[in-house]
Amino acid sequence: MELIQQVPRLSAYVAADDVIDHEHPRVRAVVKRLAVDHPDAYSYAEAAFAFVRDTIPHSQDTDDPRVTWRASDVLERRTGICYAKCHALAALLRARSIPTALCYQGFEALHGLVAVRLPGGAGWVRQDPRGGGPGAAARFRADREQVAFTVRPEFNEVDYPVLYAEPHPVVLDALKAARDRRHLDGTLPTHLPPTR
């Protein structure tokens, strides 16, 4: 699948905003810790991926009722669904000037991923920091993707090719409107409408 940048400027994929708040002290503290043993871009990206995948449980797996959406909050509360975990990973990578996009797969509900563009690499490669149990054991790869879930077109599942510099509005709106995770479970977006 050919991945398509929504924004032509690569600088948009290292920018900070209200969601991917990589200038926040909490994000910077994690970046500093990870960078000590991982000075180059590849090893740092792999360490950041493992950190988010392995130390921030997916809130559905742990039945955590809290809903997080801002990267610094995900890192502080150590919980989040796939979108929130992707926001945290994007912040950790962008803080080190590694271009990181948000992207999605369509199953019964949208699933969040990131795409990373490492220096000297072959281009964008999707990564899935969801973590979790059997069937969800994604690995960090710079040469090709190894995401947690493969879409099955015969079941109308979709790999969306667009790489977003910011969370898709339908995703962010659902996260912000959720009273708790159970409420969010009932309002998760099922597809990506065109961005507004």
Side-chain angles (χ1 to χ4, degrees):
M1 174 179 67
E2 181 182 352
L3 300 174
I4 304 161
Q5 286 181 215
Q6 180 198 29
V7 179
R9 296 177 333 277
L10 199 56
S11 62
Y13 297 92
V14 293
D17 59 28
D18 190 42
V19 179
I20 303 170
D21 56 343
H22 66 69
E23 295 170 350
H24 191 283
R26 189 172 301 113
V27 176
R28 290 294 183 177
V30 175
V31 170
K32 185 176 179 181
R33 279 198 319 270
L34 292 173
V36 168
D37 294 325
H38 308 283
D40 65 278
Y42 178 88
S43 67
Y44 175 82
E46 186 174 26
F49 172 87
F51 176 84
V52 172
R53 183 193 62 197
D54 300 342
T55 70
I56 301 172
H58 191 287
S59 57
Q60 269 186 333
D61 296 343
T62 59
D63 201 27
D64 191 322
R66 298 173 295 169
V67 175
T68 55
W69 53 268
R70 184 176 289 117
S72 57
D73 292 337
V74 175
L75 295 174
E76 177 186 19
R77 297 178 186 171
R78 291 283 202 266
T79 190
I81 66 167
C82 59
Y83 314 133
K85 291 180 65 142
C86 288
H87 300 166
L89 180 55
L92 294 175
L93 296 175
R94 288 183 182 189
R96 291 288 302 242
S97 300
I98 298 171
T100 308
L102 301 166
C103 44
Y104 304 93
Q105 294 176 305
F107 298 103
E108 288 180 20
L110 284 179
H111 176 56
L113 308 166
V114 300
V116 177
R117 189 176 181 111
L118 289 166
W124 291 101
V125 179
R126 295 188 312 169
Q127 312 289 339
D128 189 346
R130 187 212 186 278
R139 299 273 181 249
F140 181 85
R141 298 287 304 251
D143 57 337
R144 64 177 175 83
E145 68 179 44
Q146 188 174 337
V147 296
F149 309 111
T150 304
V151 301
R152 299 166 299 171
E154 66 272 20
F155 293 104
N156 296 318
E157 297 172 351
V158 180
D159 266 323
Y160 290 100
V162 177
L163 303 176
Y164 295 93
E166 300 174 348
H168 193 287
V170 73
V171 169
L172 193 55
D173 290 349
L175 289 169
K176 287 183 172 182
R179 294 184 303 271
D180 56 29
R181 208 213 65 253
R182 289 190 203 284
H183 177 253
L184 178 62
D185 289 349
T187 61
L188 286 171
T190 58
H191 67 284
L192 280 185
T195 55
R196 47 180 183 232

